[in-house]
Amino acid sequence: MTLGRRQMLVGSTMAVGALGAAAACGSGDTPSAAPQAPSESAENTELAKTADVPVGSALVVDDVVLTRAQPGQIRGFSTACPHAGCAVSKVTGAELICPCHGSSFGLDGAVITGPARGPLTPVDVVVRGDSVVRG
Ligand code: FES
């Protein structure tokens, strides 16, 4: 049996990975839980105070837009526009606007005006006390 170059690279990578795993187990280092820490901390990162998210409107925080159609209804969406990926960065009343080509979205993330054809991608957020955090 002969192996192609791609197969060899995959095989080599697997062998190196196995050696690395074996070395980590024998070194007494902390198990591989460390790589999960960033996502856990990201999940608990405060995005905003609930009072900063206006009722009937929205607030853009980094790569998340927080909407609040009603007092107890805060939702999160990615700012990545489904049309071509620009950041939805402008809020006018109850409309979220992408500055690149003018798509607009409602507080539920649905398209109001194209060229975007699909909704904004939901982001899990949770209200904890007076804060909105990534869920
Ligand atoms: Fe948002 Fe084109 S990237 S409208």
Side-chain angles (χ1 to χ4, degrees), residues 85-107:
C86 289
V88 173
S89 58
K90 186 176 175 186
V91 178
T92 301
E95 284 191 38
L96 318 171
I97 300 166
C98 177
C100 288
H101 310 105
S103 290
S104 65
F105 306 87
L107 298 180

Side-chain angles (χ1 to χ4, degrees), residues 39-66:
S39 68
E40 283 184 25
S41 64
E43 286 180 8
N44 293 315
T45 301
E46 179 183 79
L47 294 166
K49 296 293 184 191
T50 55
D52 294 335
V53 185
V55 176
S57 192
L59 175 70
V60 176
V61 182
D62 299 328
D63 60 346
V64 176
V65 57
L66 299 171

